[in-house]
Amino acid sequence: MAGPLAGITVLDLSSVIAGPYATQILGDMGADVIKVEPPQGDIMRAAGPARNAGMGAAYLNCNRNKRSITLNLKSPEDRARLLEMVREADVFIHNMRAAACARLGLSHEELLAINPRLVYCAIVGYGQDGPYRDRPAYDDIIQAASGWAGLEQDSGAAPRYAPTIVADKTTSLYAVSAVNAALFHRERSGAGQYVEVPMFEVMASYLLVEQMGGMTFSPPLGPPGYSRLQSKHRRPYKTMDGYISVMPYNGEHWVRFFTEAGKLDMAGDPRLASSAQRAAIIDELYEKLGETLLERSTEAWMSILRSADIPCSEVNTVASLLNDRHLKAVNFFVSIEHPSEGKILATKPPIRFSKTPCTISRPSPSLRAAEASLDARVPADFGNVL
């Protein structure tokens, strides 16, 4: 069975992560994604370990379920070929700066004039109506600008970046949602439109859901922030022989935890019954939690906590995640035979559709295949794209 976006053609002029991860998800959902690369290829081809030049791990993990073609968009001939593809496409997506797009003659005004049904999605660093619109944007920069890196300061630590490209990948998810919403609108109206997905605004919006705190109200009811998340004692906790995550979330959880741990004085604390009072003493509770967990082994605590139905988990590393028994049971990791890279390990699409399942139908394309496709004429149905 075909995925829910079967029949939708996406022209993907994006590079690095924010755009390619979004278009990979659209491809997983069944869209026919055509990756349009410059002759030198997407810069992410060189990132991470690789068996062959231009086929790095990060590239392979963001570009499956795509066909590929190389075009030099500064060449009038190649630009004309791209515009022919635009006439037949449903979605056009890029993460170039607006000035670069304008120089190439690929603005949304120009492309929507060619194809009024086109959903034109621009992933940008900053909203184009604001004073930051021309600034370069990378994941670290957006983590800093959006307040993400500064959250650590509220816990008394130095600012730091998340050890994953959280801004790029979060923006990708917003882009997928936005493109699908625009396609739904087109289904009802027949009209395409321009969709702008700015990294800065996306991450600020994402962060402020809970961190707006008392500043939500006018006049403010208190400072910004969410006290539980900013407790200096909130962390994975050390046991006698490892680390675990434990999150007593309500009063019953806390009472059961302290009862099972033999801390009956804490279990009987009347403040545990009120969410407001628990919030006021959250540092004290988390500190006591950490001290108590040092008293037994990880295995012993996991047995106790799960029996008491208290939210908990082992602390996985990336390496141990590959052996997680739940992920194995749901066949999360799949082995793919790549035509140039041999066997590679991939994660299957995590979303399940009962009638239109996602599939992995194509491995990430090599640049060699893209160069070969450039030598052939590009017909309206893209049939010669490799």
Side-chain angles (χ1 to χ4, degrees), residues 16-335:
V16 192
I17 298 293
Y21 186 48
T23 51
Q24 175 171 279
I25 295 170
L26 296 174
D28 288 349
M29 293 179 178
D32 183 15
V33 181
I34 315 299
K35 185 175 179 69
V36 180
E37 299 183 72
Q40 67 272 23
D42 185 337
I43 191 173
M44 285 306 287
R45 286 182 175 275
R51 284 181 180 148
N52 294 295
M55 298 299 286
Y59 169 81
L60 290 172
N61 289 325
C62 275
N63 288 283
R64 71 178 180 220
N65 281 338
K66 300 179 187 181
R67 298 188 282 165
S68 181
I69 184 170
T70 55
L71 293 174
N72 176 6
L73 296 179
K74 295 179 181 178
S75 156
E77 180 185 26
D78 281 3
R79 182 177 176 278
R81 298 170 86 175
L82 177 67
L83 295 183
E84 284 303 309
M85 298 168 79
V86 167
R87 294 181 195 281
E88 303 296 327
D90 298 288
V91 179
F92 181 92
I93 186 166
H94 73 81
N95 57 353
M96 293 180 279
R97 285 203 245 177
C101 247
R103 285 195 299 271
L104 293 170
L106 299 176
S107 68
H108 65 275
E109 294 93 347
E110 291 168 287
L111 297 197
L112 282 165
I114 293 171
N115 179 358
R117 288 177 51 81
L118 186 69
V119 172
Y120 183 115
C121 179
I123 298 175
V124 296
Y126 304 88
Q128 296 301 287
D129 292 334
Y132 303 165
R133 60 183 173 272
D134 296 323
R135 292 183 180 181
Y138 294 90
D139 194 274
D140 288 0
I141 303 304
I142 297 300
Q143 285 197 42
S146 67
W148 186 285
L151 284 174
E152 294 285 344
Q153 290 176 290
D154 295 325
S155 303
R160 71 184 299 266
Y161 303 126
T164 184
I165 44 179
V166 64
D168 274 2
K169 291 186 289 186
T170 301
T171 302
S172 294
L173 301 180
Y174 271 72
V176 171
S177 176
V179 165
N180 282 326
L183 286 171
F184 181 67
H185 170 265
R186 191 189 71 171
E187 184 67 19
R188 294 187 299 177
S189 69
Q193 63 180 300
Y194 172 61
V195 178
E196 184 176 287
V197 186
M199 294 176 69
F200 178 45
E201 287 94 317
V202 160
M203 291 305 292
S205 172
Y206 185 84
L207 182 80
L208 291 172
V209 168
E210 80 286 359
Q211 295 293 345
M212 187 80 84
M215 301 298 290
T216 302
F217 303 93
S218 183
L221 296 183
Y226 186 23
S227 59
R228 186 186 73 79
L229 302 183
Q230 291 163 311
S231 169
K232 64 183 178 181
H233 299 292
R234 174 181 172 260
R235 61 185 182 276
Y237 297 102
K238 191 166 176 46
T239 65
M240 286 179 65
D241 58 358
Y243 288 89
I244 59 174
S245 171
V246 185
M247 188 179 167
Y249 192 71
N250 56 38
E252 289 185 5
H253 289 154
W254 282 109
V255 170
R256 287 203 296 269
F257 172 75
F258 287 126
T259 300
E260 294 290 342
K263 312 293 181 183
L264 299 184
D265 56 332
M266 290 296 295
D269 191 325
R271 296 175 297 177
L272 296 180
S274 162
S275 59
Q277 288 182 308
R278 287 197 307 273
I281 61 168
I282 197 65
D283 270 351
E284 177 186 341
L285 290 174
Y286 279 163
E287 184 175 19
K288 192 67 175 178
L289 177 65
E291 292 171 355
T292 303
L293 291 170
L294 283 168
E295 298 173 0
R296 306 183 195 185
S297 69
T298 294
E299 183 178 359
W301 277 122
M302 294 307 295
S303 176
I304 291 167
L305 294 165
R306 286 185 173 140
S307 294
D309 198 28
I310 296 169
C312 62
S313 176
E314 300 90 346
V315 177
N316 269 320
T317 63
V318 173
S320 67
L321 198 62
L322 299 178
N323 293 307
D324 183 271
R325 66 189 184 94
H326 176 87
L327 294 181
K328 284 187 173 182
V330 299
N331 299 313
F332 183 71
F333 296 103
V334 293
S335 180

